Amino acid sequence: MEAIRKQASKFREQVAKQQQAVLKQFGGGGYGGSDNVITDEAELQQHQKLEKLYISTRAGKHFQRDIVRGVEGFIVTGSKQVEIGTKLSEDCRKYGVENTCTSGNTLSKAALNYGRARAQIEKERGNLLKALGTQVAEPLRAMVMGAPLEDARHLAQRYERMRQEAEAQAIEVSKRQAKMREATGNADNTLKLEAAEAKLHDLKSNMAILGKEAAAAMAAVEAQQQRLTLQRLIATVESERAYHQRVLQILELLETEMISERQRIEAPPSPPVENNTPPPPSYEEVNGVFASQTHNGSSDSISYFLGEVMHSYQAESDVELNLSIGDFVVVRKVSNNGWAEGECKGKAGWFPFGYVEKRERVLASKMAEVF
């Protein structure tokens, strides 16, 4: 009979061990531990909450690390781009200062302007990289490596170890209860069972307290992770947006300068007026009509006609006439030396004849502007 009892006790121990292994294999998972029947509903919910927090904070930590790695890579490649752009800026400036062409210095000006703009762009890029390092990478790296996260994780791990110990102690209590049923009235078994139950009670009480502390710490870390990571992402967007806006302003100004210079050199040349062109003939007003005199004995044509101004002209003396493109002039006299005398907008004077073209017909509204 004694042999049968020993064999039965051994068999129960084997079953208990197998049960424990099955519970650990098919239990709650996550950061460890299992959800078995020894825990009450409140403790089970606490365990599940802590498990979710552990998973969430772990994912948040990995995401922060990803951002830090991305920003650090961006800084490395961006620094190389700054180096290359700065070298290009210096090369453009050097060409603009040291080189001119017989056809003009348009390219030299463009090189200087581009070199100046490129230097400004690289300066802005350097400021962006500095901002990403100090405002994004450093705060996230500090949290990843910081004490609050590690302390909360340690609390969660301590809670898990205590939970596993409580599970083992619950199995021990079950074994003691089985022995009590087999050997009723055995005082030694009773004492051992009471000690095992007391230890299990203490473990469960301490586990509940530690679980609340760990959950509170993990929840605080999770909230901080969410808040800080979002803030740093917004800071990244704001820094890059400001950088691109400033670069766009620099490029727009540069484009305006270059297009203006190109239009200047591609515009049709103004009618040449030789440097040795004599000054316009003198004239005087007689009875309200301008009568022109010949200049150096040159003969002048006297037929009147209308001319449209094709190139503006700025008078250089009191006897000359200001002209604007699109004006109409009554041409009253054309001198052999390239000057013409006429009237426009109620004023009379001399102007280079090559600046106007003869017109056969003029709208009445335009005629009104002549006089």
PDB file of all heavy atoms in Angstrom, residues 183-198:
ATOM      1  N   ALA A 183      -2.906  11.931   3.449  1.00  0.00           N
ATOM      2  CA  ALA A 183      -2.527  11.613   4.844  1.00  0.00           C
ATOM      3  C   ALA A 183      -3.251  12.562   5.775  1.00  0.00           C
ATOM      4  O   ALA A 183      -2.674  13.546   6.257  1.00  0.00           O
ATOM      5  CB  ALA A 183      -1.017  11.714   5.014  1.00  0.00           C
ATOM      6  N   THR A 184      -4.492  12.326   5.993  1.00  0.00           N
ATOM      7  CA  THR A 184      -5.301  13.201   6.845  1.00  0.00           C
ATOM      8  C   THR A 184      -4.806  13.140   8.284  1.00  0.00           C
ATOM      9  O   THR A 184      -4.517  12.074   8.808  1.00  0.00           O
ATOM     10  CB  THR A 184      -6.772  12.767   6.801  1.00  0.00           C
ATOM     11  OG1 THR A 184      -7.193  12.737   5.431  1.00  0.00           O
ATOM     12  CG2 THR A 184      -7.652  13.739   7.578  1.00  0.00           C
ATOM     13  N   GLY A 185      -4.687  14.329   8.873  1.00  0.00           N
ATOM     14  CA  GLY A 185      -4.273  14.416  10.270  1.00  0.00           C
ATOM     15  C   GLY A 185      -2.788  14.497  10.461  1.00  0.00           C
ATOM     16  O   GLY A 185      -2.324  14.536  11.615  1.00  0.00           O
ATOM     17  N   ASN A 186      -2.008  14.499   9.415  1.00  0.00           N
ATOM     18  CA  ASN A 186      -0.553  14.632   9.529  1.00  0.00           C
ATOM     19  C   ASN A 186      -0.219  16.083   9.833  1.00  0.00           C
ATOM     20  O   ASN A 186      -0.439  16.976   9.020  1.00  0.00           O
ATOM     21  CB  ASN A 186       0.115  14.186   8.222  1.00  0.00           C
ATOM     22  CG  ASN A 186       1.624  14.075   8.378  1.00  0.00           C
ATOM     23  OD1 ASN A 186       2.259  14.918   9.010  1.00  0.00           O
ATOM     24  ND2 ASN A 186       2.187  13.021   7.793  1.00  0.00           N
ATOM     25  N   ALA A 187       0.293  16.332  11.042  1.00  0.00           N
ATOM     26  CA  ALA A 187       0.568  17.703  11.477  1.00  0.00           C
ATOM     27  C   ALA A 187       1.650  18.355  10.635  1.00  0.00           C
ATOM     28  O   ALA A 187       1.598  19.556  10.348  1.00  0.00           O
ATOM     29  CB  ALA A 187       0.983  17.694  12.951  1.00  0.00           C
ATOM     30  N   ASP A 188       2.653  17.578  10.252  1.00  0.00           N
ATOM     31  CA  ASP A 188       3.757  18.153   9.456  1.00  0.00           C
ATOM     32  C   ASP A 188       3.259  18.647   8.103  1.00  0.00           C
ATOM     33  O   ASP A 188       3.625  19.730   7.642  1.00  0.00           O
ATOM     34  CB  ASP A 188       4.844  17.095   9.283  1.00  0.00           C
ATOM     35  CG  ASP A 188       6.059  17.646   8.571  1.00  0.00           C
ATOM     36  OD1 ASP A 188       6.636  18.654   9.055  1.00  0.00           O
ATOM     37  OD2 ASP A 188       6.433  17.104   7.493  1.00  0.00           O
ATOM     38  N   ASN A 189       2.423  17.838   7.473  1.00  0.00           N
ATOM     39  CA  ASN A 189       1.851  18.248   6.182  1.00  0.00           C
ATOM     40  C   ASN A 189       0.984  19.491   6.323  1.00  0.00           C
ATOM     41  O   ASN A 189       0.971  20.364   5.447  1.00  0.00           O
ATOM     42  CB  ASN A 189       1.033  17.117   5.575  1.00  0.00           C
ATOM     43  CG  ASN A 189       1.928  15.979   5.066  1.00  0.00           C
ATOM     44  OD1 ASN A 189       3.124  16.197   4.832  1.00  0.00           O
ATOM     45  ND2 ASN A 189       1.357  14.801   4.894  1.00  0.00           N
ATOM     46  N   THR A 190       0.279  19.570   7.439  1.00  0.00           N
ATOM     47  CA  THR A 190      -0.574  20.741   7.671  1.00  0.00           C
ATOM     48  C   THR A 190       0.264  22.004   7.792  1.00  0.00           C
ATOM     49  O   THR A 190      -0.070  23.059   7.223  1.00  0.00           O
ATOM     50  CB  THR A 190      -1.407  20.546   8.938  1.00  0.00           C
ATOM     51  OG1 THR A 190      -2.207  19.362   8.800  1.00  0.00           O
ATOM     52  CG2 THR A 190      -2.300  21.735   9.195  1.00  0.00           C
ATOM     53  N   LEU A 191       1.354  21.936   8.565  1.00  0.00           N
ATOM     54  CA  LEU A 191       2.230  23.101   8.721  1.00  0.00           C
ATOM     55  C   LEU A 191       2.844  23.534   7.386  1.00  0.00           C
ATOM     56  O   LEU A 191       2.932  24.723   7.069  1.00  0.00           O
ATOM     57  CB  LEU A 191       3.319  22.784   9.747  1.00  0.00           C
ATOM     58  CG  LEU A 191       2.852  22.606  11.194  1.00  0.00           C
ATOM     59  CD1 LEU A 191       4.022  22.160  12.088  1.00  0.00           C
ATOM     60  CD2 LEU A 191       2.256  23.914  11.704  1.00  0.00           C
ATOM     61  N   LYS A 192       3.281  22.530   6.626  1.00  0.00           N
ATOM     62  CA  LYS A 192       3.888  22.855   5.340  1.00  0.00           C
ATOM     63  C   LYS A 192       2.873  23.491   4.386  1.00  0.00           C
ATOM     64  O   LYS A 192       3.188  24.404   3.627  1.00  0.00           O
ATOM     65  CB  LYS A 192       4.493  21.602   4.725  1.00  0.00           C
ATOM     66  CG  LYS A 192       5.741  21.116   5.438  1.00  0.00           C
ATOM     67  CD  LYS A 192       6.315  19.880   4.770  1.00  0.00           C
ATOM     68  CE  LYS A 192       7.582  19.401   5.483  1.00  0.00           C
ATOM     69  NZ  LYS A 192       8.156  18.197   4.846  1.00  0.00           N
ATOM     70  N   LEU A 193       1.644  22.974   4.432  1.00  0.00           N
ATOM     71  CA  LEU A 193       0.608  23.551   3.576  1.00  0.00           C
ATOM     72  C   LEU A 193       0.305  24.983   3.989  1.00  0.00           C
ATOM     73  O   LEU A 193       0.175  25.880   3.125  1.00  0.00           O
ATOM     74  CB  LEU A 193      -0.659  22.701   3.657  1.00  0.00           C
ATOM     75  CG  LEU A 193      -1.879  23.255   2.897  1.00  0.00           C
ATOM     76  CD1 LEU A 193      -1.570  23.416   1.413  1.00  0.00           C
ATOM     77  CD2 LEU A 193      -3.096  22.349   3.114  1.00  0.00           C
ATOM     78  N   GLU A 194       0.208  25.226   5.271  1.00  0.00           N
ATOM     79  CA  GLU A 194      -0.072  26.587   5.737  1.00  0.00           C
ATOM     80  C   GLU A 194       1.051  27.543   5.358  1.00  0.00           C
ATOM     81  O   GLU A 194       0.802  28.684   4.963  1.00  0.00           O
ATOM     82  CB  GLU A 194      -0.272  26.582   7.253  1.00  0.00           C
ATOM     83  CG  GLU A 194      -1.538  25.874   7.688  1.00  0.00           C
ATOM     84  CD  GLU A 194      -1.648  25.774   9.196  1.00  0.00           C
ATOM     85  OE1 GLU A 194      -0.654  26.139   9.881  1.00  0.00           O
ATOM     86  OE2 GLU A 194      -2.720  25.361   9.687  1.00  0.00           O
ATOM     87  N   ALA A 195       2.287  27.083   5.461  1.00  0.00           N
ATOM     88  CA  ALA A 195       3.432  27.931   5.098  1.00  0.00           C
ATOM     89  C   ALA A 195       3.410  28.236   3.593  1.00  0.00           C
ATOM     90  O   ALA A 195       3.676  29.369   3.166  1.00  0.00           O
ATOM     91  CB  ALA A 195       4.740  27.242   5.485  1.00  0.00           C
ATOM     92  N   ALA A 196       3.093  27.207   2.788  1.00  0.00           N
ATOM     93  CA  ALA A 196       3.036  27.407   1.338  1.00  0.00           C
ATOM     94  C   ALA A 196       1.927  28.376   0.960  1.00  0.00           C
ATOM     95  O   ALA A 196       2.096  29.245   0.091  1.00  0.00           O
ATOM     96  CB  ALA A 196       2.837  26.070   0.638  1.00  0.00           C
ATOM     97  N   GLU A 197       0.747  28.248   1.620  1.00  0.00           N
ATOM     98  CA  GLU A 197      -0.354  29.148   1.322  1.00  0.00           C
ATOM     99  C   GLU A 197      -0.032  30.577   1.753  1.00  0.00           C
ATOM    100  O   GLU A 197      -0.397  31.538   1.063  1.00  0.00           O
ATOM    101  CB  GLU A 197      -1.615  28.647   2.027  1.00  0.00           C
ATOM    102  CG  GLU A 197      -2.164  27.366   1.414  1.00  0.00           C
ATOM    103  CD  GLU A 197      -3.348  26.831   2.180  1.00  0.00           C
ATOM    104  OE1 GLU A 197      -3.498  27.194   3.382  1.00  0.00           O
ATOM    105  OE2 GLU A 197      -4.117  26.044   1.618  1.00  0.00           O
ATOM    106  N   ALA A 198       0.660  30.711   2.907  1.00  0.00           N
ATOM    107  CA  ALA A 198       1.029  32.059   3.365  1.00  0.00           C
ATOM    108  C   ALA A 198       2.011  32.712   2.387  1.00  0.00           C
ATOM    109  O   ALA A 198       1.908  33.909   2.064  1.00  0.00           O
ATOM    110  CB  ALA A 198       1.647  31.981   4.765  1.00  0.00           C
TER     111      ALA A 198
END
